[in-house]
Amino acid sequence: PQFSWGATFIINIPVIIVALLAVTFIAPQSREAVRKPLDPIGSVVSITGISALLFAIIEGSHLGWLSPIVIASFVATAVLGVLFIWWEQWVKHPLLPLSLFQKPLFSIGSAVIALVFFVMIAFFLLITLYLQFVLGYSALAAGIATLPMALASLIIAPRTTRLTERFGSGPVMSTGFIFIAVGLILLTSASTSTAYPLLFVAFILLG
């Protein structure tokens, strides 16, 4: 009650500062003998294109999907997308080497992971609304309730490299997607009186 919704973004500033200091003074340097330069133009074009797309999606329901500014944002997204692809093919040290997408494993894996991210982003929004407005959790309690997802990721993520080396990327990725599917299936039984243990198990699987 004492803070506006904008405080949710401001609170991340100290975390970013600590992360930058840690990367600068603690993280080891790259082992590559030749340092490749950055791609600032590609970065600016990609960020601008994504920002235009997000603006169009967010404001479309408010201003109207046929609003000139919304249509212009979608057009700008398309133009910047084409420009980004052209630039990445031309520049010597691209931000995103497009040749990687010629590898089926990389292309399929990237597409599936992107799809999962879209699903999880929608899930985070809906689960927050569900916990607060259906089960009556406070904002703090809702955040604490979803901590099992973060803890599960914290435990499993560092071990994925070793699991991939042992079993291969396909089985590891498939198992992860199965866990996500089972977690979402469990949540389909959620109601106005769902006890937290069910949510806890689902959150662990989703993490």
Side-chain angles (χ1 to χ4, degrees):
Q2 293 88 354
F3 303 97
S4 68
W5 64 270
T8 59
F9 300 100
I10 297 175
I11 198 174
N12 291 315
I13 294 178
V15 178
I16 295 173
I17 294 175
V18 172
L20 288 175
L21 292 174
V23 170
T24 303
F25 297 105
I26 299 177
Q29 295 294 327
S30 174
R31 296 180 180 178
E32 293 187 5
V34 180
R35 292 189 178 184
K36 297 181 179 179
L38 299 177
D39 180 16
I41 295 179
S43 301
V44 171
V45 172
S46 63
I47 292 173
T48 306
I50 293 173
S51 299
L53 177 61
L54 292 176
F55 176 84
I57 293 174
I58 293 172
E59 296 296 331
S61 59
H62 174 64
L63 300 176
W65 296 107
L66 298 179
S67 170
I69 189 172
V70 172
I71 294 176
S73 297
F74 278 123
V75 172
T77 300
V79 172
L80 290 169
V82 173
L83 178 60
F84 177 77
I85 293 174
W86 173 81
W87 176 259
E88 295 303 290
Q89 291 176 332
W90 180 84
V91 71
K92 185 176 181 180
H93 299 287
L95 174 69
L96 176 62
L98 298 180
S99 59
L100 293 175
F101 291 98
Q102 296 176 358
K103 302 176 181 179
L105 183 60
F106 180 84
S107 299
I108 296 174
S110 299
V112 173
I113 291 174
L115 180 61
V116 170
F117 268 100
F118 278 118
V119 171
M120 294 306 295
I121 289 172
F123 164 77
F124 287 132
L125 172 62
L126 294 176
I127 199 64
T128 302
L129 297 176
Y130 171 74
L131 291 173
Q132 295 190 53
F133 297 107
V134 177
L135 297 185
Y137 286 30
S138 66
L140 178 61
I144 294 174
T146 57
L147 279 179
M149 282 189 290
L151 294 176
S153 297
L154 186 65
I155 295 172
I156 298 300
R159 292 165 173 79
T160 54
T161 301
R162 188 179 303 173
L163 292 173
T164 300
E165 292 174 351
R166 182 174 180 180
F167 301 105
S169 58
V172 173
M173 290 179 63
S174 299
T175 302
F177 295 143
I178 290 173
F179 285 162
I180 292 175
V182 174
L184 293 175
I185 291 172
L186 284 177
L187 290 175
T188 60
S189 62
S191 64
T192 56
S193 58
T194 298
Y196 182 70
L198 174 66
L199 301 178
F200 177 82
V201 174
F203 292 158
I204 289 291
L205 292 171
L206 291 169

